[in-house]
Amino acid sequence: MQNTIPSKQVLLKTFLTGLRRRNITNKGMTLLERKRAIKFSADLAMASVRKEAKWSNALMADLSRKFQRKTVLPSKHRHVVFRGNKVSTHKRGAKQRRAAKATAIAKCIIRKREQVLRRLVPGGKCMDECTLLDETLDYLQLLKAQVDVMRLLVKALE
């Protein structure tokens, strides 16, 4: 993970360039088309600022697929199935059974949260756990910078 966050000015410049290219000021655009254009421009700005990150490459690939289709389809919602591990309880005391059950539940919860995180971070499905956490931190830092830039933009337009 890179320690320096790219300048918000660079992110803003890239975002505004993307908005101009998507012709966001067109009066004939519907609200949904504007929303998609803004999201596309924001994602493209984020991915182009941090080119060396794995999530950035995955986001760029996803954007290029969506751009080629000319429509942005909603992502398919996959439900995480929670399946608890069966804990063998024979020849154990009550404390050991509770501890084993608590451990199994904790492992299931961690696995479930990891699956959710893999879906949230672009390219997370093909990363190991350490890389996933590293890329998630990087991705969140840039998302925060993106939110700050958009707030500044809204404040300037008011």
Side-chain angles (χ1 to χ4, degrees):
M1 184 175 74
Q2 201 173 11
N3 288 334
T4 59
I5 299 174
S7 166
K8 290 180 185 176
Q9 292 173 343
V10 174
L11 190 61
L12 177 63
K13 181 181 173 186
T14 312
F15 177 58
L16 290 175
T17 303
L19 288 176
R20 278 190 221 107
R21 286 186 181 161
R22 300 290 287 180
N23 199 11
I24 194 77
T25 57
N26 184 0
K27 298 285 184 191
M29 285 182 102
T30 66
L31 185 62
L32 185 60
E33 289 172 336
R34 278 196 182 140
K35 175 188 160 201
R36 288 178 178 165
I38 290 169
K39 178 160 176 30
F40 182 85
S41 299
D43 287 347
L44 187 63
M46 253 184 30
S48 64
V49 166
R50 192 60 63 84
K51 292 179 182 173
E52 68 279 351
K54 291 182 182 182
W55 63 262
S56 174
N57 295 332
L59 188 60
M60 286 290 242
D62 188 42
L63 290 174
S64 67
R65 278 192 303 268
K66 288 177 182 178
F67 184 70
Q68 288 173 355
R69 284 193 301 229
K70 301 289 185 194
T71 58
V72 179
L73 300 175
S75 62
K76 295 180 181 177
H77 300 289
R78 296 184 191 140
H79 299 287
V80 177
V81 179
F82 180 77
R83 294 182 183 162
N85 290 343
K86 298 210 178 211
V87 179
S88 62
T89 56
H90 66 290
K91 296 183 184 176
R92 290 187 184 172
K95 281 186 176 181
Q96 289 175 334
R97 282 194 302 265
R98 281 194 300 266
K101 190 172 183 177
T103 303
I105 291 171
K107 285 181 181 179
C108 287
I109 290 172
I110 289 170
R111 246 184 280 123
K112 183 178 176 182
R113 288 181 180 174
E114 182 184 333
Q115 288 174 354
V116 171
L117 189 60
R118 285 184 186 283
R119 283 194 310 246
L120 290 175
V121 176
K125 293 178 183 173
C126 57
M127 293 180 202
D128 64 287
E129 292 83 11
C130 292
T131 307
L132 178 66
L133 291 175
D134 194 34
E135 292 290 323
T136 301
L137 289 173
D138 188 49
Y139 184 61
L140 287 176
Q141 285 177 339
L142 216 55
L143 278 177
K144 184 183 180 321
Q146 184 185 46
V147 167
D148 292 343
V149 164
M150 288 184 169
R151 282 184 180 156
L152 288 172
L153 189 60
V154 168
K155 192 181 276 187
L157 293 175
E158 287 179 343

